[in-house]
């Protein structure tokens, strides 16, 4: 069973974000060759893929449930916090792309499990904060210390149920970090398949389907149930759902962002700019690019930001059309993400 439209995903709003699927057994639909082709796609198109994920995060701050969780953790409110948090996210994604997430003894697998377990912890913490209830009762008095651990330190999800996304007695329909929230987050990693050319990516539909399949596998490992895994279909089916999310969820939110949006976006843009030492990547420039992606009228920005936006569009378009430029940027991006000291 797979989601066919946004309505199917929204049914997951009351389902805990971690379905409890085992992390050490590949699902029956897994095709390793296809999954690895998806990894190779990322390696070939790294600049465009990372730019798309940067923009998905910038725009995604406008979706209130996702922003609430990010702000709750207290790691996105200042330039320093945002820089460290999102560079860490970039490194984690590089590890998932470069390593073997299906090898339970690999660093890549451990990294995915760390994210999955963190989702569970944040879900419990935010539920306690918002509802004032001790969630241990709903988990059969099972605390983190009591959760079965494997020899490699990973939480054994075969012996636990729905660690992320906790329901409460006072409002059984409210779930923090739900399957729907996870699907919206997953959409951010594949949204560029709607318009790869806007990120300078030159590829075939077959290659995009391999990339989508890669994120189907990652979604499974993060605890997304198949019926809410928006990467379960082919290219056309996936694009239909992404387009619905963009038009019915993202655009309205972006045009009327929630409280905290300005702080989060400013910290994010300034933090990334500080880390890569790029004075050209201003908030006005990136918001102009965001409006262009969403086919919205351009925001009011300075002439300098508008010029930088035009230059950025041209550079993005040229990346995979000028021989050697993509390779140069891939090497540079890898070096930047591996740099230990942000300053």
């Amino acid at each position: 069973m797979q989601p066919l439209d946004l309505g199917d995903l929204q049914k997951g709003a009351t389902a805990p974000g971690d379905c409890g699927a085992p992390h050490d057994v590949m699902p029956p639909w897994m095709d390793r060759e296809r999954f690895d082709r998806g990894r190779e796609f990322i390696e070939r198109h790294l600049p465009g893929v990372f730019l798309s994920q940067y923009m998905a995060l910038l725009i995604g701050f406008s979706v209130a449930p996702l922003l609430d969780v990010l702000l709750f953790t207290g790691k996105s409110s200042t330039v320093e916090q945002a820089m460290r948090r999102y560079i860490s996210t970039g490194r984690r994604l590089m590890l998932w792309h470069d390593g073997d997430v299906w090898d339970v003894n690999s660093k890549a697998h451990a990294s995915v499990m760390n994210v999955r377990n963190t989702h569970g912890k944040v879900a419990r913490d935010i539920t306690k904060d918002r509802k004032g209830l001790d969630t241990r009762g709903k988990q059969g008095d099972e605390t983190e210390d009591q959760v079965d651990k494997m020899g490699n330190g990973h939480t054994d999800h075969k012996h636990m149920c729905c660690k992320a996304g906790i329901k409460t007695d006072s409002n059984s329909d409210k779930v923090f970090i739900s399957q729907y929230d996870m699907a919206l987050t997953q959409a951010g990693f594949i949204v560029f398949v709607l318009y790869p050319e806007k990120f300078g990516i030159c590829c075939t539909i077959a290659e995009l389907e391999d990339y989508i399949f890669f994120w189907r596998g990652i979604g499974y490992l993060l605890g997304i149930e198949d019926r809410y895994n928006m990467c379960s279909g082919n290219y056309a089916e996936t694009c239909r759902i992404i387009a619905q999310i963009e038009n019915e969820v993202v655009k309205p939110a972006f045009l009327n962002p929630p409280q905290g949006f300005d702080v989060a976006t400013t910290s994010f843009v300034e933090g990334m700019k500080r880390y890569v030492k790029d004075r050209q990547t201003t908030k006005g420039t990136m918001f102009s690019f965001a409006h262009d992606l969403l086919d919205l009228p351009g925001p009011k920005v300075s002439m300098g930001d508008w010029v930088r936006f035009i230059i950025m569009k041209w550079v993005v378009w040229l990346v995979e059309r000028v021989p050697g430029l993509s390779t140069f940027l891939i090497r540079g991006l890898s070096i930047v993400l591996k740099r230990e000291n942000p300053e």
Side-chain angles (χ1 to χ4, degrees), residues 182-228:
M182 293 292 290
L184 290 181
T185 302
Q186 186 183 36
F189 291 101
I190 63 169
V191 65
F192 78 86
V193 302
L194 279 178
Y195 28 65
E197 69 284 349
K198 288 190 176 183
F199 294 99
I201 295 174
C202 303
C203 62
T204 65
I205 289 179
E207 290 176 297
L208 290 174
E209 287 194 327
D210 290 337
Y211 176 78
I212 291 169
F213 188 81
F214 171 85
W215 277 101
R216 182 184 184 185
I218 295 295
Y220 169 85
L221 285 174
L222 289 173
I224 300 179
E225 194 174 345
D226 284 350
R227 59 176 168 164
Y228 302 119

Side-chain angles (χ1 to χ4, degrees), residues 208-327:
L208 290 174
E209 287 194 327
D210 290 337
Y211 176 78
I212 291 169
F213 188 81
F214 171 85
W215 277 101
R216 182 184 184 185
I218 295 295
Y220 169 85
L221 285 174
L222 289 173
I224 300 179
E225 194 174 345
D226 284 350
R227 59 176 168 164
Y228 302 119
N229 193 322
M230 61 171 300
C231 296
S232 300
N234 58 31
Y235 174 77
E237 292 168 337
T238 304
C239 284
R240 181 172 63 248
I241 298 176
I242 295 176
Q244 284 185 297
I245 291 175
E246 182 176 281
N247 291 321
E248 299 178 31
V249 178
V250 175
K251 282 187 179 180
F254 190 67
L255 292 173
N256 186 29
Q259 184 178 2
F261 174 75
D262 188 61
V263 171
T265 53
T266 299
S267 298
F268 173 61
V269 173
E270 292 301 316
M272 296 300 289
K273 184 170 69 172
R274 179 189 296 184
Y275 186 82
V276 301
K277 304 183 186 303
D278 176 16
R279 296 181 180 179
Q280 305 305 311
T281 309
T282 66
K283 186 174 178 179
T285 303
M286 303 315 293
F287 265 73
S288 295
F289 195 69
H291 279 251
D292 184 65
L293 290 174
L294 297 174
D295 290 325
L296 296 172
K300 293 182 179 180
V301 297
S302 67
M303 179 61 71
D305 283 340
W306 184 82
V307 171
R308 280 186 283 267
F309 160 62
I310 297 301
I311 294 174
M312 179 183 175
K313 285 191 66 175
W314 273 103
V315 171
V316 169
W317 187 85
L318 289 171
V319 166
E320 294 193 8
R321 293 172 173 83
V322 174
L325 181 55
S326 180
T327 300

